[in-house]
């Protein structure tokens, strides 16, 4: 067996050699779990002479990597995601639950179409049928993650979903069967029903897959948990040869339905299970691991373990307190530029934040200093639908002849104006806006009336924006959807108000001024990004690693989030912090702002409790005074690339701290700014 255990540490070898019976491997971050898993499957194949081995992953990328590693040993193993494995089972045995050969899989749009027909058929008392369809889809998808059918007790934030949910869900399932279709969420759920109610099918797969492995077990939901139980648990006739690998400290997807109890209670499901802890980390320095371990140790819902490394030395964790978000962005980019000057690439640097809306301050700062960047796992701030919708509204206010923008927002949010009605106006020829003004359609005329009322409004950009949101009802519509996606869109719309407040903080500005600036954003961002700073949410960072990590917005109410504090979800937030910290290989900086323009309002916050949980032995703490001195020194002669006034030079400075002002010469015109408002536009 040496060929399978070569190069493994003692705990990894122990896991590889535990061939039979239930096994729980608690694999800490960066502990080489994939290497162990593939070696274990190869060892079982060689020792037992069987190819009846199943490995389940969460992503196609992970499955592909595992196949490539197993192939090196020449072993035959069935490897795939939960959905891929379950779909193959349904293709063979779907007839047991009413599926016919050639059944199709419905995507989100197909699901919405079917639900729309049902809502219309039932003539439900809902204000907006489109929002109702989205709400019912969310309810059904959540139910299927829990392996719940229409007969289950279905509850939802929206009263009408709780009231009509069972009827809609029942008709929806009937509609799928009539169309010989299954939706994405139903792939696992229906497989669970198949295994639960057809004992001969269950026995077949229990024989077919005698050795089962599940990766990232901490991320499993109820349906995925039951799938494993029906195949492996003794109470269902299973063989108990199952190995699950995961880390409860990295369970961060409760909002998707993941249940941390699945991994914490594994020994209750399999009383004779062997537990092995992989605690040796091959990624991070001892300083980073020590800090991360002491933070996560504050959680109660976990199994005791502590990561360690053979690496010697390493930089202490830097915890930097800044005056505001502008100084925070400048401080982070200063550190990144220092790494670049030392010969490191930009792609080795990653900036993490709690919400997508926070990316905006770093995008602006990168563009001002012409530092290439990429937003991972999300659209760039100005490319997000809700932001583009707002910009389209303002383009129409400034230029009603802009028919492209007009068609984009004429039914946003939904106000019952269909494409056929718009096409009828277009057919009249001439300017579309004028045709809409003269339309016989009352809804189109009402829309034009709203636009006309907004065109004559006066006030600051932020005030005009508030009036736009109020008149259109964009935020109200999103808030009524009550899901994570809509909440994120509301946050982005609120963050856009911060953009406006900051834009006109120095001098009054018009909508036209701002639209020109937004165009510059698009122009500056184009170009090759082969070497670029990586921007992403903490959730998107899972599974990745970088030499230099900058965790930003480390403030109470932001991270941990206010919702987590209010709902008692602090442990999941702490696990998210732990995930972020353990992405760093060489250097970790955690930054906070005393005050922050967030979602259109100025907020004052304390430093995150997670930073306070890091003992002083692991950290190098910079004071606010030191940060001010570093970011505001050697100003005279520095270049400013302002989004409105263009390129300028700092000529004078007066005052200090938050009250420091600088005079900037733009051509022949000199303007004065508070330094804190323009520091991200100052080039090194």
């Amino acid at each position: 067996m040496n060929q399978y255990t070569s190069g493994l540490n003692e705990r990894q070898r122990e896991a590889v050699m535990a061939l039979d019976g239930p096994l729980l491997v608690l694999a800490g971050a960066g502990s080489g779990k994939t290497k162990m898993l593939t070696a274990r499957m190869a060892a079982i194949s060689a020792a037992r002479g069987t190819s009846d081995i199943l490995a389940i992953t969460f992503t196609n990328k992970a499955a592909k990597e595992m196949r490539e590693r197993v192939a090196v040993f020449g072993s035959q193993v069935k490897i795939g995601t939960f959905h891929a494995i379950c779909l193959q089972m349904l293709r063979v045995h779907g007839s047991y639950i009413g599926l016919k050969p050639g059944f199709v899989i419905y995507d989100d749009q197909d699901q919405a179409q079917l639900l729309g027909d049902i809502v219309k058929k039932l003539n439900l008392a809902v204000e907006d049928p489109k929002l109702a369809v989205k709400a019912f889809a969310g309810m059904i998808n959540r139910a299927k993650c829990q392996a719940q059918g229409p007969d289950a007790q279905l509850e939802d934030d929206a009263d009408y979903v709780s009231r009509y949910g069972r009827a809609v869900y029942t008709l929806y399932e009937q509609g799928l069967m009539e169309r010989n279709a299954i939706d994405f969420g139903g792939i696992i759920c229906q497989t669970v029903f198949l295994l639960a109610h057809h004992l001969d099918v269950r026995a077949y797969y229990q024989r077919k897959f005698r050795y089962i492995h599940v990766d990232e077990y901490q991320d499993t939901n109820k349906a995925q948990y039951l799938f494993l139980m029906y195949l492996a648990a003794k109470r269902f006739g299973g063989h108990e040869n199952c190995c699950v690998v995961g880390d409860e400290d990295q369970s961060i997807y409760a909002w998707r339905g993941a249940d941390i109890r699945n991994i914490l209670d594994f020994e209750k499901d399999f009383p004779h299970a062997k537990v092995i802890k992989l605690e040796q980390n091959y990624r991070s320095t001892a300083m980073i691991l020590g800090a991360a371990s002491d933070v996560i140790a504050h959680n109660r819902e976990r199994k005791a373990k502590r990561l360690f490394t053979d690496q010697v030395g390493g930089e202490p964790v830097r915890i930097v307190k800044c005056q505001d978000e502008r100084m925070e962005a400048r401080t982070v980019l200063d550190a990144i530029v220092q790494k670049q000057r030392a010969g490191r690439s930009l792609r080795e640097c990653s900036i993490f934040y709690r919400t997508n809306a926070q990316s905006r301050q770093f995008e602006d700062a990168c563009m001002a200093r012409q530092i290439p960047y990429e937003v991972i796992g999300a659209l760039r701030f100005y490319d997000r639908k809700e932001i583009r919708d707002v910009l389209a509204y303002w383009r129409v206010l400034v230029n009603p002849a802009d028919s492209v923008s007009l068609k984009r927002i004429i039914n946003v949010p939904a106000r019952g104006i269909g494409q056929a009605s718009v096409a009828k106006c277009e057919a009249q020829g001439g300017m579309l806006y004028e045709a809409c003004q003269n339309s016989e359609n009352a809804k189109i005329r009402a829309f034009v009336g709203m636009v006309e009322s907004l065109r004559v409004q006066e006030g600051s950009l932020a005030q005009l924006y508030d009036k736009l949101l109020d008149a259109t009802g964009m935020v109200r519509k999103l808030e009524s959807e009550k899901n994570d996606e809509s909440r994120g869109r509301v946050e982005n719309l609120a963050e856009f108000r911060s953009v406006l407040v900051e834009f006109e903080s120095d001098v009054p500005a018009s909508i036209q001024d701002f639209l020109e600036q937004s165009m510059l954003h698009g122009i500056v961002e184009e170009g090759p990004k082969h070497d670029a700073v990586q921007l992403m949410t903490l959730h998107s960072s899972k599974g990745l690693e970088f030499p230099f990590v900058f965790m930003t917005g480390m403030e109470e109410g932001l991270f941990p989030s206010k919702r987590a504090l209010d709902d008692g979800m602090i442990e999941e937030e702490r696990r998210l912090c732990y995930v972020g910290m353990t992405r760093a290989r060489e250097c970790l900086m955690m930054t906070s702002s005393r005050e922050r323009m967030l979602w259109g309002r100025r907020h004052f916050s304390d430093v995150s409790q997670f930073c306070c949980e890091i003992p002083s032995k692991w950290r190098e703490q910079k004071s606010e005074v030191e940060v001010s001195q570093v970011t505001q020194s050697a100003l005279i002669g520095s270049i400013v690339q302002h989004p409105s006034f263009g390129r300028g030079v700092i000529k004078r400075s007066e005052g200090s701290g938050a009250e420091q002002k600088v005079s900037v010469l733009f051509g022949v015109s000199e303007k004065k700014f508070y330094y804190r408002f323009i520091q991200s536009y100052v080039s090194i």
Side-chain angles (χ1 to χ4, degrees), residues 2-73:
N2 288 340
Q3 61 177 312
Y4 306 114
T5 59
S6 176
L8 302 180
N9 62 40
E10 182 179 352
R11 296 282 78 80
Q12 290 172 326
R13 288 196 296 271
E14 184 181 358
V16 169
M17 299 306 295
L19 303 182
D20 298 298
L23 173 64
L24 169 62
V25 180
L26 297 173
S31 61
K33 66 181 177 65
T34 303
K35 184 176 182 180
M36 177 279 299
L37 260 177
T38 52
R40 185 177 191 273
M41 290 185 285
I44 292 174
S45 179
R48 299 290 181 261
T50 178
S51 60
D52 298 338
I53 304 171
L54 172 66
I56 307 174
T57 66
F58 269 82
T59 66
N60 290 316
K61 179 181 176 182
K64 181 175 182 293
E65 180 184 0
M66 206 171 286
R67 287 192 202 98
E68 291 172 349
R69 294 198 184 196
V70 170
V72 174
F73 295 109

Side-chain angles (χ1 to χ4, degrees), residues 290-291 294-295 611-619:
D294 281 332
V295 169
C611 291
C612 300
E613 291 168 357
I614 301 175
S616 58
K617 62 182 177 180
W618 306 124
R619 63 186 183 178

Side-chain angles (χ1 to χ4, degrees), residues 545-671:
E545 59 182 72
F546 302 90
F548 311 114
V549 166
F550 302 86
M551 291 177 60
T552 63
M554 301 297 298
E555 300 138 32
E556 288 292 292
L558 184 57
F559 188 44
S561 69
K562 185 178 184 302
R563 188 184 307 161
L565 293 171
D566 293 342
D567 296 345
M569 296 292 291
I570 188 64
E571 292 211 353
E572 173 130 344
E573 289 285 284
R574 188 176 284 110
R575 291 193 291 269
L576 186 58
C577 180
Y578 175 79
V579 166
M581 296 176 73
T582 54
R583 300 309 96 191
R585 294 206 301 261
E586 301 175 31
C587 176
L588 172 64
M589 178 189 286
M590 306 173 79
T591 64
S592 63
S593 296
R594 173 180 289 181
E595 58 177 287
R596 179 184 297 274
M597 180 66 74
L598 188 65
W599 304 321
R601 299 289 184 270
R602 180 63 61 180
H603 295 263
F604 295 85
S605 305
D606 294 326
V607 176
S608 170
Q609 59 187 279
F610 302 147
C611 291
C612 300
E613 291 168 357
I614 301 175
S616 58
K617 62 182 177 180
W618 306 124
R619 63 186 183 178
E620 169 194 305
Q621 188 162 354
K622 295 286 185 182
S623 72
E624 297 167 27
V625 175
E626 289 174 310
V627 171
S628 297
Q629 291 172 345
V630 170
T631 58
Q632 299 184 25
S633 63
L635 282 171
I636 307 304
S638 295
I639 301 299
V640 174
Q641 187 65 44
H642 195 277
S644 294
F645 306 117
R647 186 180 178 88
V649 179
I650 296 179
K651 306 299 291 184
R652 285 179 296 280
S653 173
E654 60 185 71
S656 62
E659 299 304 314
Q660 184 181 23
K661 296 180 181 179
V662 294
S663 296
V664 184
L665 182 65
F666 298 96
V668 296
S669 175
E670 189 170 298
K671 297 184 179 297

Side-chain angles (χ1 to χ4, degrees), residues 344-631:
R344 306 303 291 265
S345 65
L346 291 176
R347 73 170 68 92
E348 294 181 287
C349 303
S350 186
I351 301 173
F352 297 166
Y353 35 80
R354 180 63 180 83
T355 66
N356 277 313
Q358 289 170 256
S359 76
R360 196 268 309 170
Q361 70 186 62
F362 296 104
E363 292 186 60
D364 285 351
C366 285
M367 287 185 288
R369 296 171 65 164
Q370 298 185 333
I371 296 175
Y373 72 92
E374 291 180 348
V375 181
I376 307 300
L379 290 173
R380 294 173 296 186
F381 185 79
Y382 290 94
D383 286 339
R384 291 166 187 161
K385 179 185 181 301
E386 56 277 10
I387 304 303
R388 293 178 68 88
D389 288 342
V390 169
L391 294 176
Y393 265 105
W394 274 8
R395 290 191 186 100
V396 172
L397 294 182
V398 172
N399 176 26
D402 183 354
S403 60
V404 173
S405 295
L406 177 60
K407 286 192 288 185
R408 178 184 179 92
I409 49 90
I410 195 169
N411 197 44
V412 175
R415 50 178 62 93
I417 300 176
Q419 293 181 358
S421 298
V422 177
K424 187 175 180 180
C425 290
E426 284 186 294
Q428 297 180 23
M431 193 169 80
L432 177 59
Y433 189 82
E434 291 180 350
C436 290
Q437 286 179 308
N438 300 319
S439 173
E440 298 177 355
N441 187 307
K443 293 179 179 178
I444 291 180
R445 289 200 310 274
F447 165 76
V448 172
M450 177 193 69
V451 171
E452 286 297 306
S453 68
L454 288 171
R455 292 185 68 193
V456 299
Q457 295 291 334
E458 296 181 349
S460 67
L461 289 180
Q463 290 170 336
L464 293 174
Y465 178 61
D466 292 340
K467 293 174 182 177
L468 172 68
L469 294 184
D470 182 62
T472 61
M474 293 175 69
V475 172
R476 292 191 297 273
K477 288 287 188 181
L478 288 168
E479 288 177 338
S480 68
E481 295 181 22
K482 296 182 178 180
N483 57 54
D484 289 323
E485 179 185 351
S486 62
R487 291 188 190 103
R489 294 187 184 280
V490 171
E491 289 178 353
N492 289 334
L493 287 172
E495 178 62 15
F496 188 71
R497 193 179 193 280
S498 300
V499 176
L500 302 176
V501 171
E502 292 173 3
F503 181 76
E504 59 183 355
S505 61
D506 304 314
V507 294
S510 67
I511 291 178
Q512 184 66 49
D513 293 333
F514 184 82
L515 289 174
E516 290 176 0
Q517 185 230 24
S518 67
M519 285 297 295
L520 290 176
H521 275 276
I523 294 170
V524 173
E525 287 180 316
E526 292 182 2
K529 297 292 196 311
H530 59 278
D531 186 25
V533 176
Q534 309 291 293
L535 276 62
M536 67 190 71
T537 64
L538 283 152
H539 280 98
S540 296
S541 74
K542 180 75 159 50
L544 304 176
E545 59 182 72
F546 302 90
F548 311 114
V549 166
F550 302 86
M551 291 177 60
T552 63
M554 301 297 298
E555 300 138 32
E556 288 292 292
L558 184 57
F559 188 44
S561 69
K562 185 178 184 302
R563 188 184 307 161
L565 293 171
D566 293 342
D567 296 345
M569 296 292 291
I570 188 64
E571 292 211 353
E572 173 130 344
E573 289 285 284
R574 188 176 284 110
R575 291 193 291 269
L576 186 58
C577 180
Y578 175 79
V579 166
M581 296 176 73
T582 54
R583 300 309 96 191
R585 294 206 301 261
E586 301 175 31
C587 176
L588 172 64
M589 178 189 286
M590 306 173 79
T591 64
S592 63
S593 296
R594 173 180 289 181
E595 58 177 287
R596 179 184 297 274
M597 180 66 74
L598 188 65
W599 304 321
R601 299 289 184 270
R602 180 63 61 180
H603 295 263
F604 295 85
S605 305
D606 294 326
V607 176
S608 170
Q609 59 187 279
F610 302 147
C611 291
C612 300
E613 291 168 357
I614 301 175
S616 58
K617 62 182 177 180
W618 306 124
R619 63 186 183 178
E620 169 194 305
Q621 188 162 354
K622 295 286 185 182
S623 72
E624 297 167 27
V625 175
E626 289 174 310
V627 171
S628 297
Q629 291 172 345
V630 170
T631 58

Side-chain angles (χ1 to χ4, degrees), residues 267-404:
E267 295 153 278
K268 294 180 181 178
D269 294 318
F270 299 93
H272 304 294
K274 184 171 186 176
V275 180
I276 297 175
K277 299 177 183 179
L278 302 186
E279 297 171 291
Q280 184 171 359
N281 178 280
Y282 295 94
R283 176 188 300 155
S284 307
T285 66
M287 286 287 189
I288 294 172
L289 291 181
S293 295
D294 281 332
V295 169
I296 199 63
H298 286 76
N299 273 8
R300 294 183 178 181
E301 284 194 313
R302 67 185 299 264
K303 295 177 181 289
K305 60 181 176 301
R306 189 174 185 87
L307 300 183
F308 68 92
T309 179
D310 288 340
Q311 294 187 49
V312 179
E315 298 181 22
V317 176
R318 291 191 63 194
I319 300 177
V320 183
K321 302 176 184 178
C322 303
Q323 178 62 32
D324 56 29
E325 74 277 11
R326 291 280 194 176
M327 185 178 290
E328 180 183 40
R330 175 65 187 269
T331 301
V332 169
L333 291 186
D334 282 350
I336 290 174
V337 170
Q338 288 177 5
K339 299 296 183 186
Q340 186 184 35
R341 288 175 173 172
R344 306 303 291 265
S345 65
L346 291 176
R347 73 170 68 92
E348 294 181 287
C349 303
S350 186
I351 301 173
F352 297 166
Y353 35 80
R354 180 63 180 83
T355 66
N356 277 313
Q358 289 170 256
S359 76
R360 196 268 309 170
Q361 70 186 62
F362 296 104
E363 292 186 60
D364 285 351
C366 285
M367 287 185 288
R369 296 171 65 164
Q370 298 185 333
I371 296 175
Y373 72 92
E374 291 180 348
V375 181
I376 307 300
L379 290 173
R380 294 173 296 186
F381 185 79
Y382 290 94
D383 286 339
R384 291 166 187 161
K385 179 185 181 301
E386 56 277 10
I387 304 303
R388 293 178 68 88
D389 288 342
V390 169
L391 294 176
Y393 265 105
W394 274 8
R395 290 191 186 100
V396 172
L397 294 182
V398 172
N399 176 26
D402 183 354
S403 60
V404 173

